[in-house]
Amino acid sequence: MVVLRCNISSKAINKNKDMTQPSWLKKVKFLMKEKGVKQQDLMEVFGVSSQGAVSHYFSGRNKTSSEQLNALASFLSVDVEQLEDFDKLEEKVDSSLDVEALTEAFQTIARLDKLSEKELFDFFSVYEKMGLERIAEAYDVITKLNQKKKQELENQILKLKKA
């Protein structure tokens, strides 16, 4: 079974504090895994002659130009905005929402329900298209509903105890 990972996460910092991994990295890794693409396959996209040179872009040692980012998006058959918007979206999401934990929970439930690889791919495609803001909204709605139900149950228990 293919394990699908959502591309949504906080920025990761390399051991070298001056090198921050690019915001597009998780999205690109996800797409590469889905399409069976290796870093070696991206040498032409970055205009380099070795896989090691490609890895410098992935680590943040080398910065991507807008032309390279456009070429990468094109190579992976996505809009460049999907790669560029992660920083902006991450800033808007409430920090209390642990998107990675939510994604892992969805993956676990999907495995327990024995969804096919196609069903998993379809689900996570929609999940990805929803974006962080919509996922955060859904999370907030569910949290508020659960709090309301919990309060209602506590009130019913109090009434029963008094009776």
Side-chain angles (χ1 to χ4, degrees):
M1 175 184 278
V2 175
V3 177
L4 297 175
R5 300 226 21 114
C6 186
N7 55 20
I8 304 168
S9 72
S10 299
K11 288 182 184 176
I13 305 294
N14 279 339
K15 292 177 185 173
N16 180 346
K17 292 180 183 176
D18 295 331
M19 290 190 306
T20 301
Q21 290 180 337
S23 61
W24 49 260
L25 183 63
K26 290 231 179 203
K27 171 76 172 186
V28 167
K29 283 185 174 182
F30 170 79
L31 292 168
M32 287 172 63
K33 186 173 183 177
E34 288 302 304
K35 298 174 183 284
V37 173
K38 305 289 183 212
Q39 283 187 6
Q40 183 175 354
D41 301 324
L42 299 175
M43 293 185 315
E44 190 174 321
V45 168
F46 289 100
V48 296
S49 58
S50 71
Q51 176 275 323
V54 172
S55 74
H56 290 285
Y57 288 98
F58 278 56
S59 70
R61 184 176 292 166
N62 290 348
K63 302 293 181 208
T64 53
S65 67
S66 59
E67 292 81 18
Q68 289 170 321
L69 202 55
N70 281 318
L72 181 60
S74 178
F75 185 88
L76 295 169
S77 303
V78 295
D79 291 326
V80 72
E81 291 81 22
Q82 289 180 301
L83 302 180
E84 293 176 327
D85 286 344
F86 282 158
D87 281 338
K88 295 173 195 164
L89 288 173
E90 285 175 349
E91 292 170 7
K92 293 179 183 178
V93 175
D94 186 292
S95 61
S96 67
L97 175 60
D98 187 344
V99 177
E100 284 187 26
L102 185 60
T103 300
E104 288 178 25
F106 280 136
Q107 290 173 338
T108 300
I109 292 168
R111 281 192 295 275
L112 290 172
D113 289 348
K114 298 179 182 174
L115 297 178
S116 71
E117 288 183 27
K118 182 186 180 329
E119 290 170 320
L120 283 171
F121 183 79
D122 291 345
F123 173 79
F124 281 101
S125 292
V126 170
Y127 183 84
E128 228 176 72
K129 286 179 183 178
M130 286 175 58
L132 291 173
E133 289 178 329
R134 296 296 286 169
I135 292 168
E137 286 176 30
Y139 180 84
D140 287 341
V141 168
I142 291 168
T143 300
K144 288 175 185 173
L145 286 173
N146 283 338
Q147 289 172 347
K148 185 178 177 181
K149 286 182 181 181
K150 180 181 176 185
Q151 186 61 45
E152 288 172 1
L153 286 173
E154 288 173 354
N155 289 340
Q156 288 177 351
I157 290 171
L158 281 174
K159 286 180 184 177
L160 288 173
K161 284 182 180 180
K162 290 180 181 179

